[in-house]
Amino acid sequence: MLNPLSIVILAAGKGSRMKSPKAKVLHEICGREMLYYSIKAAREITDDVIVVVAHQRDAVIAAMERYFSDLTFITQDAENFPGTGGAMMGVKPKYDDVLVLNGDMPLIERTAIEKFLANPADIVMSVISLENPSGYGRVVIENDRVQRIVEEKDASASEKAIHTVNAGVYAFKHHVLQTYIPQLSNANAQGEYYLTDVIEMGRNDGLSISPLFVEEVEFKGVNSKNDLANAEMIMMDRLRRLWMDAGVIMQLPETIYLEEGVKFEGECVIENGVRLCGNTLIVNSHIKAHSVIEDSTITNSDVGPLAHLRPLSVLEDTHVGNFVEVKKSTLKGVKAGHLSYLGDATIGEGSNIGAGTITCNYDGVKKYQTIIGKNVFVGSDTQLVAPVEIADNVMIAAGTTVTAGKYESDILILSRTPIRKVAGFFTKFFGKGK
Ligand code: UD1
Ligand code: MG
């Protein structure tokens, strides 16, 4: 049994290398802010997760409270005490073992964190050997012992040549932090309080410092938009593998875009180029090529190719074909094969939606509902001007504009301009010989 531990996640920095008005830790990877992932890994291990915030504090807290309850947020005095060491100043961990993670490391997993705990040293620090170490703090090791960490901006030419870098995860005994954090100074190139200086202070006092060599892929920090895209590729690959292991069939999986909130049940087939977003649930369904599905629930249905299901669409035993857009609608036992917009609608079992059907759900001010009963045959090119309610067993003739109102069962609804035939018109218009 491992000792209980506290996990501190540093998420107060600006992330200026992201060149964005948005705080770095709020940039998304597979549909969730990158900070979500390190908190998720931390929560699998402990009840004491402390998140240090400052830059865009309220936005960061609000975003994380959507996913987690019982997190402890600490606000860094980033004005007077900037830097990762400044971030640790107000932290009061509950347990004696304290793991510190940077909030810009979304790829870290529980198993990687646990390796730090099996080690009894006063300080365990993560180390990676990188071909291109630029941007990272260099770890100076002499006689097999860690001496100190030098930030790139403070490093000499020979220190810059070191390829062993600090990956940004540390396990400390609480007393180590209590002793050294108040002693940190900001006499360095960035004028910041560096958490990394604790290593040299501890070494000078003879503490045991254990370097833990870790996998680059899990410990890579996201500092730029290139890093963000790379981290997303790795994360999405993990998600796709996870779901294929769970029984989902994916055709050309590397072309499928998948977010963290998407879930599958039963046997599902996902064709190439599909984009699945938000809290989508797909049960025993087939999603055909290049469809886009957001925050929807699809059961025993087939969708696409090239269909667009927007948030809050619910499909059950339904066929939705190409160029059909559905939004905030419930379709049960419905066929909508081609080229339609179905928004704010409820459509019952056995109903057929002809090509070119449009629910006119918006009058420029408000949105209105369209309710279609069972076994309704909606002819091609029908406009349903909401609010409209159609009872069961109704036929709507092709080309009809169904004006707002209620329509009873067992009727034909038809609005059609009578045909006019103008004899000889073609020849008159285009001339003889055509
Ligand atoms: C840090 C390490 C560096 C290491 C690298 C690994 C320090 C001084 N340097 O550098 O040795 O190689 O991580 O990725 O620790 N943060 C705060 N408050 C602040 C500043 C930063 O909470 O005042 C948070 C950030 O939100 C971020 C994390 O700390 O999540 C790391 O900050 P970042 O600016 O990315 O540090 P690096 O320069 O990458
Ligand atoms: Mg970083």
Side-chain angles (χ1 to χ4, degrees):
M1 192 48 198
L2 294 164
N3 292 335
L5 98 151
S6 298
I7 299 185
V8 182
I9 302 180
L10 306 183
K14 285 202 181 87
S16 37
R17 286 170 281 175
M18 292 296 275
K19 302 195 173 103
S20 170
K22 199 194 299 195
K24 173 162 74 173
V25 294
L26 292 183
H27 281 270
E28 289 186 5
I29 287 178
C30 298
R32 299 232 169 135
E33 300 79 3
M34 73 169 94
L35 180 59
Y36 158 86
Y37 296 97
S38 41
I39 296 180
K40 180 183 161 202
R43 282 300 290 267
E44 286 173 21
I45 302 176
T46 176
D47 63 324
D48 191 32
V49 178
I50 300 161
V51 183
V52 182
V53 290
H55 184 62
Q56 295 186 9
R57 170 187 182 277
D58 295 345
V60 174
I61 294 176
M64 291 308 110
E65 285 186 337
R66 287 208 303 272
Y67 311 112
F68 306 100
S69 52
D70 300 334
L71 296 172
T72 306
F73 290 97
I74 300 272
T75 304
Q76 177 184 354
D77 177 0
E79 192 87 1
N80 296 310
F81 298 99
T84 49
M88 291 299 293
M89 284 176 183
V91 169
K92 291 183 183 64
K94 194 159 140 187
Y95 302 114
D96 192 41
D97 283 299
V98 185
L99 192 99
V100 181
L101 289 178
N102 285 350
D104 64 352
M105 297 180 30
L107 297 172
I108 194 157
E109 292 185 296
R110 177 202 176 128
T111 43
I113 295 178
E114 280 172 346
K115 292 196 183 121
F116 288 80
L117 311 180
N119 191 315
D122 295 313
I123 303 174
V124 188
M125 56 164 295
S126 57
V127 170
I128 345 179
S129 208
L130 289 182
E131 200 142 304
N132 174 11
S134 81
Y136 285 86
R138 310 298 203 277
V139 183
V140 180
I141 299 178
E142 284 161 12
N143 305 324
D144 287 337
R145 298 192 57 187
V146 175
Q147 305 296 313
R148 61 187 181 278
I149 299 172
V150 189
E151 291 307 299
E152 177 156 279
K153 289 188 177 136
D154 301 293
S156 65
S158 65
E159 286 166 337
K160 277 194 186 126
I162 297 173
H163 289 255
T164 308
V165 305
N166 167 27
V169 179
Y170 326 80
F172 297 101
K173 294 288 173 202
H174 188 191
H175 69 86
V176 173
L177 293 170
Q178 281 173 311
T179 306
Y180 298 112
I181 294 290
Q183 296 180 27
L184 290 174
S185 111
N186 64 347
N188 53 51
Q190 301 185 83
E192 290 188 359
Y193 295 82
Y194 294 159
L195 174 59
T196 45
D197 287 350
V198 168
I199 306 296
E200 186 175 13
M201 294 166 144
R203 178 207 148 269
N204 289 343
D205 286 347
L207 297 189
S208 55
I209 302 170
S210 175
L212 185 71
F213 277 84
V214 295
E215 293 293 327
E216 181 185 348
V217 64
E218 286 200 53
F219 286 78
K220 240 179 135 31
V222 172
N223 293 306
S224 67
K225 285 179 176 154
N226 268 296
D227 291 343
L228 185 74
N230 284 326
E232 183 164 71
M233 276 192 266
I234 294 165
M235 182 70 77
M236 211 167 290
D237 192 51
R238 283 184 192 166
L239 284 177
R240 289 184 294 237
R241 284 166 195 274
L242 180 104
W243 286 114
M244 286 190 280
D245 277 345
V248 177
I249 296 170
M250 294 192 184
Q251 296 175 338
L252 296 181
E254 66 282 6
T255 68
I256 295 168
Y257 175 93
L258 189 60
E259 291 190 347
E260 164 82 5
V262 177
K263 307 264 179 292
F264 302 88
E265 287 173 17
E267 185 160 89
C268 298
V269 180
I270 313 298
E271 295 187 7
N272 56 294
V274 166
R275 182 178 175 95
L276 302 173
C277 310
N279 292 317
T280 287
L281 171 65
I282 301 178
V283 184
N284 290 321
S285 294
H286 186 153
I287 313 300
K288 295 183 184 161
H290 301 288
S291 295
V292 175
I293 302 180
E294 307 160 87
D295 289 308
S296 293
T297 303
I298 299 141
T299 309
N300 298 328
S301 297
D302 71 280
V303 174
L306 293 153
H308 186 187
L309 306 187
R310 290 171 48 209
L312 305 179
S313 298
V314 178
L315 271 52
E316 213 177 292
D317 302 314
T318 285
H319 161 68
V320 161
N322 41 199
F323 307 112
V324 174
E325 174 182 345
V326 182
K327 186 219 78 172
K328 213 176 181 180
S329 293
T330 300
L331 279 61
K332 292 194 174 162
V334 174
K335 288 194 168 73
H338 336 262
L339 205 72
S340 289
Y341 171 59
L342 305 170
D344 302 300
T346 304
I347 308 178
E349 211 176 309
S351 291
N352 186 90
I353 307 298
T357 297
I358 308 285
T359 52
C360 311
N361 59 332
Y362 184 50
D363 64 1
V365 182
K366 272 185 78 177
K367 302 266 168 71
Y368 299 93
Q369 296 288 317
T370 297
I371 298 168
I372 298 176
K374 295 179 181 167
N375 304 316
V376 175
F377 183 91
V378 181
S380 298
D381 193 25
T382 291
Q383 301 107 55
L384 298 142
V385 183
V388 64
E389 194 173 331
I390 296 167
D392 298 345
N393 305 324
V394 167
M395 178 166 228
I396 303 174
T400 295
T401 301
V402 181
T403 48
K406 277 193 172 192
Y407 295 83
E408 68 274 27
S409 182
D410 204 10
I411 56 168
L412 168 71
I413 309 172
L414 175 146
S415 76
R416 206 175 263 175
T417 318
I419 290 283
R420 284 170 61 209
K421 294 187 192 170
V422 182
F425 179 86
F426 186 93
T427 314
K428 210 166 119 192
F429 192 83
F430 289 110
K432 281 203 172 66
K434 264 263 183 165

PDB file of all heavy atoms in Angstrom, residues 51-76:
ATOM      1  N   VAL A  51      -5.033  22.792  -7.035  1.00  0.00           N
ATOM      2  CA  VAL A  51      -4.729  23.409  -8.331  1.00  0.00           C
ATOM      3  C   VAL A  51      -4.376  24.871  -8.080  1.00  0.00           C
ATOM      4  O   VAL A  51      -5.163  25.607  -7.471  1.00  0.00           O
ATOM      5  CB  VAL A  51      -5.938  23.303  -9.289  1.00  0.00           C
ATOM      6  CG1 VAL A  51      -5.588  23.890 -10.655  1.00  0.00           C
ATOM      7  CG2 VAL A  51      -6.397  21.853  -9.426  1.00  0.00           C
ATOM      8  N   VAL A  52      -3.191  25.282  -8.519  1.00  0.00           N
ATOM      9  CA  VAL A  52      -2.759  26.659  -8.309  1.00  0.00           C
ATOM     10  C   VAL A  52      -3.154  27.485  -9.537  1.00  0.00           C
ATOM     11  O   VAL A  52      -2.809  27.144 -10.666  1.00  0.00           O
ATOM     12  CB  VAL A  52      -1.239  26.754  -8.082  1.00  0.00           C
ATOM     13  CG1 VAL A  52      -0.827  28.207  -7.819  1.00  0.00           C
ATOM     14  CG2 VAL A  52      -0.818  25.861  -6.920  1.00  0.00           C
ATOM     15  N   VAL A  53      -3.899  28.555  -9.297  1.00  0.00           N
ATOM     16  CA  VAL A  53      -4.401  29.381 -10.397  1.00  0.00           C
ATOM     17  C   VAL A  53      -4.004  30.841 -10.167  1.00  0.00           C
ATOM     18  O   VAL A  53      -3.669  31.229  -9.046  1.00  0.00           O
ATOM     19  CB  VAL A  53      -5.941  29.282 -10.507  1.00  0.00           C
ATOM     20  CG1 VAL A  53      -6.369  27.919 -11.010  1.00  0.00           C
ATOM     21  CG2 VAL A  53      -6.622  29.592  -9.179  1.00  0.00           C
ATOM     22  N   ALA A  54      -4.022  31.636 -11.210  1.00  0.00           N
ATOM     23  CA  ALA A  54      -3.828  33.095 -11.097  1.00  0.00           C
ATOM     24  C   ALA A  54      -4.308  33.723 -12.394  1.00  0.00           C
ATOM     25  O   ALA A  54      -5.358  34.342 -12.441  1.00  0.00           O
ATOM     26  CB  ALA A  54      -2.379  33.464 -10.814  1.00  0.00           C
ATOM     27  N   HIS A  55      -3.558  33.473 -13.490  1.00  0.00           N
ATOM     28  CA  HIS A  55      -3.946  34.042 -14.773  1.00  0.00           C
ATOM     29  C   HIS A  55      -5.303  33.461 -15.191  1.00  0.00           C
ATOM     30  O   HIS A  55      -5.482  32.245 -15.200  1.00  0.00           O
ATOM     31  CB  HIS A  55      -2.865  33.711 -15.802  1.00  0.00           C
ATOM     32  CG  HIS A  55      -3.109  34.324 -17.132  1.00  0.00           C
ATOM     33  ND1 HIS A  55      -3.155  35.687 -17.323  1.00  0.00           N
ATOM     34  CD2 HIS A  55      -3.347  33.770 -18.337  1.00  0.00           C
ATOM     35  CE1 HIS A  55      -3.405  35.939 -18.586  1.00  0.00           C
ATOM     36  NE2 HIS A  55      -3.535  34.788 -19.234  1.00  0.00           N
ATOM     37  N   GLN A  56      -6.267  34.334 -15.489  1.00  0.00           N
ATOM     38  CA  GLN A  56      -7.638  33.915 -15.844  1.00  0.00           C
ATOM     39  C   GLN A  56      -8.205  32.924 -14.813  1.00  0.00           C
ATOM     40  O   GLN A  56      -8.844  31.926 -15.163  1.00  0.00           O
ATOM     41  CB  GLN A  56      -7.683  33.334 -17.257  1.00  0.00           C
ATOM     42  CG  GLN A  56      -7.337  34.393 -18.282  1.00  0.00           C
ATOM     43  CD  GLN A  56      -7.511  33.924 -19.717  1.00  0.00           C
ATOM     44  OE1 GLN A  56      -8.043  32.845 -19.989  1.00  0.00           O
ATOM     45  NE2 GLN A  56      -7.067  34.736 -20.644  1.00  0.00           N
ATOM     46  N   ARG A  57      -7.953  33.257 -13.568  1.00  0.00           N
ATOM     47  CA  ARG A  57      -8.330  32.395 -12.452  1.00  0.00           C
ATOM     48  C   ARG A  57      -9.789  31.907 -12.527  1.00  0.00           C
ATOM     49  O   ARG A  57     -10.066  30.712 -12.437  1.00  0.00           O
ATOM     50  CB  ARG A  57      -8.101  33.199 -11.171  1.00  0.00           C
ATOM     51  CG  ARG A  57      -8.639  32.612  -9.934  1.00  0.00           C
ATOM     52  CD  ARG A  57      -8.493  33.602  -8.770  1.00  0.00           C
ATOM     53  NE  ARG A  57      -8.994  32.978  -7.558  1.00  0.00           N
ATOM     54  CZ  ARG A  57     -10.270  32.950  -7.219  1.00  0.00           C
ATOM     55  NH1 ARG A  57     -11.176  33.539  -7.984  1.00  0.00           N
ATOM     56  NH2 ARG A  57     -10.644  32.354  -6.107  1.00  0.00           N
ATOM     57  N   ASP A  58     -10.719  32.857 -12.691  1.00  0.00           N
ATOM     58  CA  ASP A  58     -12.133  32.488 -12.635  1.00  0.00           C
ATOM     59  C   ASP A  58     -12.504  31.557 -13.781  1.00  0.00           C
ATOM     60  O   ASP A  58     -13.271  30.608 -13.600  1.00  0.00           O
ATOM     61  CB  ASP A  58     -13.023  33.736 -12.657  1.00  0.00           C
ATOM     62  CG  ASP A  58     -12.818  34.580 -11.402  1.00  0.00           C
ATOM     63  OD1 ASP A  58     -12.224  34.058 -10.429  1.00  0.00           O
ATOM     64  OD2 ASP A  58     -13.232  35.751 -11.400  1.00  0.00           O
ATOM     65  N   ALA A  59     -11.951  31.819 -14.963  1.00  0.00           N
ATOM     66  CA  ALA A  59     -12.265  30.969 -16.118  1.00  0.00           C
ATOM     67  C   ALA A  59     -11.711  29.559 -15.908  1.00  0.00           C
ATOM     68  O   ALA A  59     -12.370  28.567 -16.234  1.00  0.00           O
ATOM     69  CB  ALA A  59     -11.681  31.589 -17.386  1.00  0.00           C
ATOM     70  N   VAL A  60     -10.521  29.475 -15.337  1.00  0.00           N
ATOM     71  CA  VAL A  60      -9.906  28.153 -15.116  1.00  0.00           C
ATOM     72  C   VAL A  60     -10.728  27.370 -14.081  1.00  0.00           C
ATOM     73  O   VAL A  60     -11.058  26.197 -14.284  1.00  0.00           O
ATOM     74  CB  VAL A  60      -8.425  28.291 -14.665  1.00  0.00           C
ATOM     75  CG1 VAL A  60      -7.838  26.930 -14.306  1.00  0.00           C
ATOM     76  CG2 VAL A  60      -7.591  28.959 -15.760  1.00  0.00           C
ATOM     77  N   ILE A  61     -11.110  28.049 -12.998  1.00  0.00           N
ATOM     78  CA  ILE A  61     -11.887  27.363 -11.955  1.00  0.00           C
ATOM     79  C   ILE A  61     -13.242  26.914 -12.521  1.00  0.00           C
ATOM     80  O   ILE A  61     -13.659  25.764 -12.347  1.00  0.00           O
ATOM     81  CB  ILE A  61     -12.075  28.272 -10.711  1.00  0.00           C
ATOM     82  CG1 ILE A  61     -10.717  28.516 -10.043  1.00  0.00           C
ATOM     83  CG2 ILE A  61     -13.061  27.651  -9.721  1.00  0.00           C
ATOM     84  CD1 ILE A  61     -10.748  29.481  -8.871  1.00  0.00           C
ATOM     85  N   ALA A  62     -13.919  27.819 -13.226  1.00  0.00           N
ATOM     86  CA  ALA A  62     -15.248  27.473 -13.767  1.00  0.00           C
ATOM     87  C   ALA A  62     -15.137  26.283 -14.722  1.00  0.00           C
ATOM     88  O   ALA A  62     -15.968  25.365 -14.694  1.00  0.00           O
ATOM     89  CB  ALA A  62     -15.853  28.673 -14.484  1.00  0.00           C
ATOM     90  N   ALA A  63     -14.103  26.268 -15.548  1.00  0.00           N
ATOM     91  CA  ALA A  63     -13.956  25.177 -16.516  1.00  0.00           C
ATOM     92  C   ALA A  63     -13.755  23.852 -15.791  1.00  0.00           C
ATOM     93  O   ALA A  63     -14.378  22.841 -16.135  1.00  0.00           O
ATOM     94  CB  ALA A  63     -12.783  25.456 -17.451  1.00  0.00           C
ATOM     95  N   MET A  64     -12.928  23.829 -14.753  1.00  0.00           N
ATOM     96  CA  MET A  64     -12.632  22.558 -14.086  1.00  0.00           C
ATOM     97  C   MET A  64     -13.784  22.088 -13.196  1.00  0.00           C
ATOM     98  O   MET A  64     -13.994  20.892 -13.024  1.00  0.00           O
ATOM     99  CB  MET A  64     -11.341  22.661 -13.262  1.00  0.00           C
ATOM    100  CG  MET A  64     -10.110  22.807 -14.123  1.00  0.00           C
ATOM    101  SD  MET A  64      -9.992  21.515 -15.407  1.00  0.00           S
ATOM    102  CE  MET A  64     -10.289  22.432 -16.902  1.00  0.00           C
ATOM    103  N   GLU A  65     -14.556  23.051 -12.674  1.00  0.00           N
ATOM    104  CA  GLU A  65     -15.694  22.645 -11.838  1.00  0.00           C
ATOM    105  C   GLU A  65     -16.809  22.001 -12.652  1.00  0.00           C
ATOM    106  O   GLU A  65     -17.713  21.392 -12.096  1.00  0.00           O
ATOM    107  CB  GLU A  65     -16.182  23.839 -11.002  1.00  0.00           C
ATOM    108  CG  GLU A  65     -15.206  24.093  -9.860  1.00  0.00           C
ATOM    109  CD  GLU A  65     -15.639  25.149  -8.870  1.00  0.00           C
ATOM    110  OE1 GLU A  65     -16.471  26.005  -9.251  1.00  0.00           O
ATOM    111  OE2 GLU A  65     -15.133  25.122  -7.724  1.00  0.00           O
ATOM    112  N   ARG A  66     -16.738  22.133 -13.973  1.00  0.00           N
ATOM    113  CA  ARG A  66     -17.709  21.402 -14.800  1.00  0.00           C
ATOM    114  C   ARG A  66     -17.453  19.893 -14.756  1.00  0.00           C
ATOM    115  O   ARG A  66     -18.349  19.104 -14.997  1.00  0.00           O
ATOM    116  CB  ARG A  66     -17.621  21.865 -16.261  1.00  0.00           C
ATOM    117  CG  ARG A  66     -18.208  23.242 -16.505  1.00  0.00           C
ATOM    118  CD  ARG A  66     -18.711  23.360 -17.944  1.00  0.00           C
ATOM    119  NE  ARG A  66     -17.669  23.083 -18.905  1.00  0.00           N
ATOM    120  CZ  ARG A  66     -16.822  23.994 -19.385  1.00  0.00           C
ATOM    121  NH1 ARG A  66     -16.923  25.246 -18.982  1.00  0.00           N
ATOM    122  NH2 ARG A  66     -15.924  23.679 -20.260  1.00  0.00           N
ATOM    123  N   TYR A  67     -16.208  19.506 -14.463  1.00  0.00           N
ATOM    124  CA  TYR A  67     -15.860  18.080 -14.491  1.00  0.00           C
ATOM    125  C   TYR A  67     -15.614  17.478 -13.115  1.00  0.00           C
ATOM    126  O   TYR A  67     -15.784  16.283 -12.924  1.00  0.00           O
ATOM    127  CB  TYR A  67     -14.581  17.851 -15.315  1.00  0.00           C
ATOM    128  CG  TYR A  67     -14.575  18.507 -16.668  1.00  0.00           C
ATOM    129  CD1 TYR A  67     -13.715  19.563 -16.943  1.00  0.00           C
ATOM    130  CD2 TYR A  67     -15.430  18.066 -17.679  1.00  0.00           C
ATOM    131  CE1 TYR A  67     -13.695  20.166 -18.194  1.00  0.00           C
ATOM    132  CE2 TYR A  67     -15.415  18.670 -18.926  1.00  0.00           C
ATOM    133  CZ  TYR A  67     -14.550  19.716 -19.169  1.00  0.00           C
ATOM    134  OH  TYR A  67     -14.529  20.320 -20.399  1.00  0.00           O
ATOM    135  N   PHE A  68     -15.131  18.307 -12.168  1.00  0.00           N
ATOM    136  CA  PHE A  68     -14.675  17.757 -10.890  1.00  0.00           C
ATOM    137  C   PHE A  68     -15.278  18.551  -9.738  1.00  0.00           C
ATOM    138  O   PHE A  68     -15.389  19.775  -9.824  1.00  0.00           O
ATOM    139  CB  PHE A  68     -13.148  17.865 -10.757  1.00  0.00           C
ATOM    140  CG  PHE A  68     -12.389  17.257 -11.909  1.00  0.00           C
ATOM    141  CD1 PHE A  68     -11.874  18.066 -12.920  1.00  0.00           C
ATOM    142  CD2 PHE A  68     -12.189  15.885 -11.990  1.00  0.00           C
ATOM    143  CE1 PHE A  68     -11.160  17.515 -13.988  1.00  0.00           C
ATOM    144  CE2 PHE A  68     -11.478  15.329 -13.044  1.00  0.00           C
ATOM    145  CZ  PHE A  68     -10.970  16.142 -14.044  1.00  0.00           C
ATOM    146  N   SER A  69     -15.604  17.837  -8.669  1.00  0.00           N
ATOM    147  CA  SER A  69     -15.991  18.553  -7.450  1.00  0.00           C
ATOM    148  C   SER A  69     -14.878  18.303  -6.440  1.00  0.00           C
ATOM    149  O   SER A  69     -14.034  17.433  -6.639  1.00  0.00           O
ATOM    150  CB  SER A  69     -17.336  18.033  -6.938  1.00  0.00           C
ATOM    151  OG  SER A  69     -17.275  16.640  -6.828  1.00  0.00           O
ATOM    152  N   ASP A  70     -14.854  19.058  -5.374  1.00  0.00           N
ATOM    153  CA  ASP A  70     -13.892  18.862  -4.287  1.00  0.00           C
ATOM    154  C   ASP A  70     -12.438  19.088  -4.678  1.00  0.00           C
ATOM    155  O   ASP A  70     -11.546  18.490  -4.075  1.00  0.00           O
ATOM    156  CB  ASP A  70     -14.003  17.441  -3.689  1.00  0.00           C
ATOM    157  CG  ASP A  70     -15.385  17.187  -3.137  1.00  0.00           C
ATOM    158  OD1 ASP A  70     -16.044  18.173  -2.779  1.00  0.00           O
ATOM    159  OD2 ASP A  70     -15.788  16.016  -3.075  1.00  0.00           O
ATOM    160  N   LEU A  71     -12.173  19.924  -5.657  1.00  0.00           N
ATOM    161  CA  LEU A  71     -10.781  20.299  -5.903  1.00  0.00           C
ATOM    162  C   LEU A  71     -10.475  21.475  -4.984  1.00  0.00           C
ATOM    163  O   LEU A  71     -11.364  22.248  -4.651  1.00  0.00           O
ATOM    164  CB  LEU A  71     -10.584  20.765  -7.352  1.00  0.00           C
ATOM    165  CG  LEU A  71     -10.811  19.735  -8.452  1.00  0.00           C
ATOM    166  CD1 LEU A  71     -10.759  20.413  -9.814  1.00  0.00           C
ATOM    167  CD2 LEU A  71      -9.777  18.623  -8.367  1.00  0.00           C
ATOM    168  N   THR A  72      -9.212  21.599  -4.576  1.00  0.00           N
ATOM    169  CA  THR A  72      -8.824  22.780  -3.816  1.00  0.00           C
ATOM    170  C   THR A  72      -8.111  23.731  -4.771  1.00  0.00           C
ATOM    171  O   THR A  72      -7.136  23.350  -5.408  1.00  0.00           O
ATOM    172  CB  THR A  72      -7.851  22.386  -2.673  1.00  0.00           C
ATOM    173  OG1 THR A  72      -8.473  21.358  -1.915  1.00  0.00           O
ATOM    174  CG2 THR A  72      -7.527  23.567  -1.797  1.00  0.00           C
ATOM    175  N   PHE A  73      -8.616  24.949  -4.882  1.00  0.00           N
ATOM    176  CA  PHE A  73      -7.941  25.942  -5.728  1.00  0.00           C
ATOM    177  C   PHE A  73      -7.200  26.930  -4.827  1.00  0.00           C
ATOM    178  O   PHE A  73      -7.760  27.411  -3.843  1.00  0.00           O
ATOM    179  CB  PHE A  73      -8.956  26.696  -6.590  1.00  0.00           C
ATOM    180  CG  PHE A  73      -9.567  25.843  -7.663  1.00  0.00           C
ATOM    181  CD1 PHE A  73     -10.803  25.236  -7.469  1.00  0.00           C
ATOM    182  CD2 PHE A  73      -8.901  25.625  -8.857  1.00  0.00           C
ATOM    183  CE1 PHE A  73     -11.365  24.438  -8.455  1.00  0.00           C
ATOM    184  CE2 PHE A  73      -9.454  24.828  -9.851  1.00  0.00           C
ATOM    185  CZ  PHE A  73     -10.685  24.231  -9.652  1.00  0.00           C
ATOM    186  N   ILE A  74      -5.960  27.207  -5.178  1.00  0.00           N
ATOM    187  CA  ILE A  74      -5.150  28.186  -4.443  1.00  0.00           C
ATOM    188  C   ILE A  74      -4.784  29.271  -5.447  1.00  0.00           C
ATOM    189  O   ILE A  74      -4.412  28.956  -6.579  1.00  0.00           O
ATOM    190  CB  ILE A  74      -3.829  27.544  -3.961  1.00  0.00           C
ATOM    191  CG1 ILE A  74      -4.092  26.374  -3.033  1.00  0.00           C
ATOM    192  CG2 ILE A  74      -2.905  28.574  -3.360  1.00  0.00           C
ATOM    193  CD1 ILE A  74      -4.219  26.749  -1.592  1.00  0.00           C
ATOM    194  N   THR A  75      -4.908  30.530  -5.036  1.00  0.00           N
ATOM    195  CA  THR A  75      -4.554  31.602  -5.961  1.00  0.00           C
ATOM    196  C   THR A  75      -3.140  32.097  -5.671  1.00  0.00           C
ATOM    197  O   THR A  75      -2.835  32.503  -4.552  1.00  0.00           O
ATOM    198  CB  THR A  75      -5.567  32.755  -5.846  1.00  0.00           C
ATOM    199  OG1 THR A  75      -6.869  32.211  -6.086  1.00  0.00           O
ATOM    200  CG2 THR A  75      -5.271  33.837  -6.878  1.00  0.00           C
ATOM    201  N   GLN A  76      -2.314  32.028  -6.687  1.00  0.00           N
ATOM    202  CA  GLN A  76      -0.921  32.489  -6.561  1.00  0.00           C
ATOM    203  C   GLN A  76      -0.876  34.015  -6.587  1.00  0.00           C
ATOM    204  O   GLN A  76      -1.617  34.644  -7.350  1.00  0.00           O
ATOM    205  CB  GLN A  76      -0.115  31.923  -7.734  1.00  0.00           C
ATOM    206  CG  GLN A  76       1.336  32.371  -7.765  1.00  0.00           C
ATOM    207  CD  GLN A  76       2.073  31.874  -9.001  1.00  0.00           C
ATOM    208  OE1 GLN A  76       1.527  31.105  -9.792  1.00  0.00           O
ATOM    209  NE2 GLN A  76       3.305  32.303  -9.168  1.00  0.00           N
TER     210      GLN A  76
END
